[in-house]
Amino acid sequence: MTDRYLELVCPAGTPAALRAAVDAGADSVYCGFRDSTNARNYPGLNFDPDELRAGVAYAHARGCRVFVAVNTFARAGDPGPWHRAIDAAADCGADAVILADLGALDYAARHHPGLRRHLSVQAAAASALAIRFYQEAFGISRVVLPRVLSVEDVAALIGKIDIEAEVFAFGSFGTMVEGRCFLSSYFTGRSPSCDGVCAPAEHVTYREEDGGLTVRLGAAMMNRFAPGEPGAYPTPCKGRFLARGRPTYLFDEPEALNVVSVLAPLKAAGVTALKIEGRQRGRAYVSKVVAAFRQILDRQAAGAPLPPDVAAELRALAEGGRETLGAYAKGWR
Amino acid sequence: MSSLTLGPLLFHWTPARRRDFYARIADEAPVACVYLGEVVCSKREAWFSKDLPAIAERLRRAGKQVVFSTPALITTEREAAAVRARCDAGDLIEVNDLACVQLLQGHRFVAGPLLNVFNEGALAVLLRLGAVRIGVPVELPAAAIATLARHNSSGETEVFAFGRQPLAIAQRCYHARAHDLHKDDCRFVCGEDTDGLPATQLDGGPLLAVNGTQTLTHGHVVLLDALAGLAAAGVSHFRLSPHAIDMVAVATIYRAVLDGATAAEEGLARLREIAGSIAFINGYLRGQAGMNWRPARERGEALKTMPA
């Protein structure tokens, strides 16, 4: 891994997506089990232990590592599924588990001390102090940084820690600190933290009314689109609301993160790995995004210019066809 | 006997309003503990930090425990230094970001409701680190609260029982954004809204409130009809979150219901009288969408507080 410009960590929502990511040039893939122990607990996604074992074999045979996300918060009185997920990840030969819950971290550190522990973005460790806390308490080897830091913040933070840092590079992103947002459950009763779902589809309704398309999450209107206006999924932090009497995307516009324009500063900041978001995405999407990033990183490593068509392809894949640097850019706050 | 606490003031009130507020709390409110300190935005601290020692002293003279709350998100050196100074001074701290624990060096602390203590495993870790009271996340249903209370060997479990529930924290300032400003040049517009800035659905229906970098529920959680069940399940502290409403009156109603001097239905009716147009919510406690409101339909209707 040391000869890589930056390690490319790619989403594998299904066994097919795992193979697609590996084939397209992922250095590592991450996936989860088919239950509420992971933060992409959507129908038709995820792995059972046998599928994970086969996925690990496929990846390892091609020099790719597999991380298993067990990154929701265990239910009170019912930690068994979280413990079993960690046991199964170890048993299947995963290279690391990605954890957020203090209880799950504690369990993994005690029962599987030899299994690498990565701190999930859901733990929202946004400072050197917080990261050192998790390092000393649970021996984490890597932190996935919250999407609330500027490139300058990332550089300053990495200078104060001595474990690996992984940052989000591409895909959907919320504007709230991860793992600490209850908006989805406020409207639906189900949350990313506990159920592994944000704005679950069974709570979404679209209706033609007043000459436009209204979209609701639970009972609450998240947006209304005029005829011809492109729609967007009603993730609560991407909704359009009235504030001070004005309709506004109060939290953030529907747009996707893309860090291609700041790869060199992120590398200089000491970042170890780039994470592509999107375990809920299909095999074709994963294939395209991973291949594009593979090409970009290899060019970057060789000091070669980036091919313009690759940048255009990524933009076309972005949510709403719009890209942003999010919090990485100064002034986003 | 369960206690009432007054949570940290989440909103950016003027220094004079803060002083008057806490003076009245000290003299009149039947709360056992008051949390002071800025949780949402460290930029606000300069406005009132010089008043805090006198406010704390007055509350202590009135027999109230004082706990200093710390930021929901610690990212800057300045924020860490402020927390470090508070720890060094020996005050009891409410931790809302685990970065704090690294500064406490074994000192006892209150685990605030913004930490993710969803289960007994996380609870055990925090107790080991020195937590003497555990505030549970607002999202938890009654049965989960009961399970945590049963496992909480510190004996102190706190539930957020009145006010707009904190739903999210961010780096971006939505108050500034709603005024076409940025966080770095925010002009403290959050001070214009004593209870937060309402954000409504496009048709005007209720939705959320924003408070700087924080997002809150539109409705106020009201748990009057659940106090007895939660207390029986082991909840020792009920938190009232400061709002512009008469908080002495709110605390008095909650205390009377806790003491059994006032029936929950009567307490609700009295709260309704002083609450004006404020919407009540309690969905999370029932394991539903947090924005729902369904009071206990009849006297004695049991909440599901049997531990899972």
Side-chain angles (χ1 to χ4, degrees):
Chain A
M1 210 61 67
T2 48
D3 58 336
R4 298 286 193 195
Y5 182 77
L6 288 166
E7 178 187 337
L8 185 58
V9 183
C10 302
T14 61
L18 181 145
R19 292 189 296 272
V22 171
D23 294 346
D27 296 314
S28 313
V29 294
Y30 64 103
C31 53
F33 289 112
R34 197 170 291 134
D35 58 23
S36 58
T37 63
N38 85 92
R40 290 291 184 278
N41 177 26
Y42 296 106
L45 290 188
N46 296 315
F47 291 65
D48 66 26
D50 289 338
E51 289 166 338
L52 179 64
R53 198 183 307 278
V56 169
Y58 187 89
H60 283 180
R62 290 154 185 83
C64 179
R65 299 193 294 177
V66 178
F67 307 150
V68 177
V70 186
N71 59 345
T72 51
F73 297 88
R75 268 187 299 276
D78 187 25
W82 283 261
H83 294 173
R84 285 194 292 276
I86 294 165
D87 294 341
D91 186 51
C92 292
D95 298 280
V97 278
I98 308 171
L99 307 170
D101 178 31
L102 290 171
L105 281 157
D106 195 43
Y107 179 86
R110 286 170 189 269
H111 291 85
H112 301 283
L115 177 63
R116 269 174 70 97
R117 292 172 291 288
H118 293 185
L119 189 66
S120 168
V121 73
Q122 295 293 317
S127 65
L129 284 170
I131 293 164
R132 280 202 294 272
F133 161 73
Y134 285 102
Q135 185 185 2
E136 289 177 16
F138 309 114
I140 57 166
S141 308
R142 176 179 294 191
V143 56
V144 184
L145 294 179
R147 281 163 278 196
V148 299
L149 302 169
S150 68
V151 174
E152 291 79 3
D153 293 337
V154 169
L157 197 162
I158 291 175
K160 286 183 260 175
I161 61 174
D162 53 9
I163 59 169
E164 298 169 358
E166 179 174 310
V167 300
F168 275 88
F170 189 85
S172 305
F173 79 113
T175 54
M176 311 303 186
V177 176
E178 296 92 337
R180 304 179 68 179
C181 176
F182 302 153
L183 262 61
S184 175
S185 61
Y186 186 55
F187 301 117
T188 71
R190 303 185 73 207
S191 75
S193 302
C194 294
D195 306 294
V197 292
C198 180
E202 63 269 28
H203 290 270
V204 174
T205 49
Y206 293 89
R207 193 187 301 163
E208 294 281 353
E209 54 187 33
D210 302 333
L213 183 67
T214 295
V215 56
R216 284 188 172 78
L217 181 63
M221 188 192 297
M222 292 289 117
N223 214 331
R224 182 192 281 150
F225 302 100
E229 188 181 7
Y233 193 79
T235 308
C237 66
K238 306 279 179 165
R240 184 157 46 182
F241 310 122
L242 286 179
R244 303 182 68 234
R246 297 186 306 179
T248 174
Y249 286 101
L250 181 59
F251 303 117
D252 198 25
E253 284 81 8
E255 55 192 5
L257 181 70
N258 183 0
V259 302
V260 166
S261 65
V262 293
L263 283 178
L266 287 173
K267 167 81 174 164
V271 167
T272 296
L274 293 182
K275 179 166 226 152
I276 311 288
E277 184 277 346
R279 283 192 286 138
Q280 72 283 20
R281 301 286 195 159
R283 181 177 51 177
Y285 172 92
V286 169
S287 221
K288 283 180 193 165
V289 174
V290 175
F293 266 87
R294 179 78 274 150
Q295 193 179 353
I296 288 166
L297 291 178
D298 289 348
R299 294 277 190 121
Q300 197 90 17
L306 300 185
D309 54 325
V310 175
E313 184 170 4
L314 281 178
R315 194 170 309 118
L317 291 164
E319 182 182 352
R322 293 176 54 171
E323 296 175 330
T324 176
L325 278 173
Y328 290 118
K330 276 194 164 178
W332 181 84
R333 294 174 188 179
Chain B
M1 176 63 77
S2 302
S3 299
L4 292 179
T5 72
L6 186 74
L9 174 62
L10 300 175
F11 307 104
H12 186 44
W13 291 1
T14 63
R17 182 173 185 143
R18 281 172 197 264
R19 288 191 297 267
D20 293 348
F21 175 72
Y22 285 111
R24 190 156 172 250
I25 291 295
D27 292 346
E28 301 177 48
V31 299
C33 167
V34 177
Y35 293 86
L36 296 175
E38 181 59 42
V39 169
V40 176
C41 177
S42 60
K43 288 179 70 177
R44 298 169 174 175
E45 275 172 358
W47 289 70
F48 63 86
S49 58
K50 67 175 185 346
D51 293 332
L52 280 185
I55 290 172
E57 178 52 30
R58 177 151 188 184
L59 289 164
R60 286 184 179 123
R61 273 207 316 272
K64 319 238 182 258
Q65 180 189 38
V66 173
V67 180
F68 284 90
S69 295
T70 52
L73 189 62
I74 296 172
T75 57
T76 69
E77 285 293 337
R78 191 167 52 81
E79 287 158 354
V83 172
R84 193 176 284 120
R86 195 52 81 189
C87 296
D88 291 346
D91 293 314
L92 184 58
I93 300 290
E94 180 189 61
V95 172
N96 287 310
D97 177 331
L98 286 168
C100 246
V101 173
Q102 202 65 10
L103 299 166
L104 285 165
Q105 301 184 323
H107 287 287
R108 65 203 189 103
F109 63 92
V110 174
L114 302 181
L115 297 182
N116 281 330
V117 188
F118 280 106
N119 54 70
E120 55 275 34
L123 174 79
V125 169
L126 287 165
L127 292 174
R128 213 156 62 219
L129 291 165
V132 294
R133 183 183 302 162
I134 303 286
V136 301
V138 299
E139 202 185 35
L140 279 184
I145 294 171
T147 298
L148 290 181
R150 188 162 55 89
H151 283 87
N152 186 356
S153 58
S154 81
E156 297 201 357
T157 302
E158 181 166 354
V159 166
F160 194 104
F162 175 81
R164 285 183 155 160
Q165 293 169 300
L167 292 178
I169 191 79
Q171 274 285 43
R172 179 176 252 182
C173 178
Y174 305 121
H175 241 111
R177 191 168 154 86
H179 285 260
D180 299 319
L181 298 168
H182 289 279
K183 187 180 176 189
D184 295 335
D185 177 29
C186 66
R187 300 181 209 166
F188 294 97
V189 287
C190 56
E192 295 176 12
D193 301 293
T194 50
D195 282 336
L197 170 67
T200 70
Q201 303 172 43
L202 289 175
D203 62 3
L207 190 82
L208 297 165
V210 298
N211 169 38
T213 54
Q214 184 179 52
T215 304
L216 301 154
T217 60
H218 162 79
H220 286 46
V221 71
V222 171
L223 300 188
L224 282 169
D225 57 348
L227 295 180
L230 290 170
V235 174
S236 59
H237 290 72
F238 292 97
R239 173 175 298 210
L240 314 176
S241 189
H243 287 76
I245 188 174
D246 181 348
M247 290 303 296
V248 169
V250 171
T252 302
I253 294 168
Y254 267 73
R255 187 68 258 172
V257 172
L258 260 182
D259 290 340
T262 300
E265 302 91 272
E266 188 190 335
L268 270 174
R270 277 164 55 190
L271 185 64
R272 187 71 271 165
E273 278 173 29
I274 63 167
S277 62
I278 289 172
F280 295 170
I281 58 171
N282 65 358
Y284 280 135
L285 199 70
R286 296 173 177 279
Q288 304 168 355
M291 70 189 298
N292 291 359
W293 168 244
R294 191 170 74 86
R297 272 171 304 186
E298 55 199 60
R299 197 180 187 90
E301 182 190 3
L303 268 171
K304 288 185 199 152
T305 51
M306 286 297 289

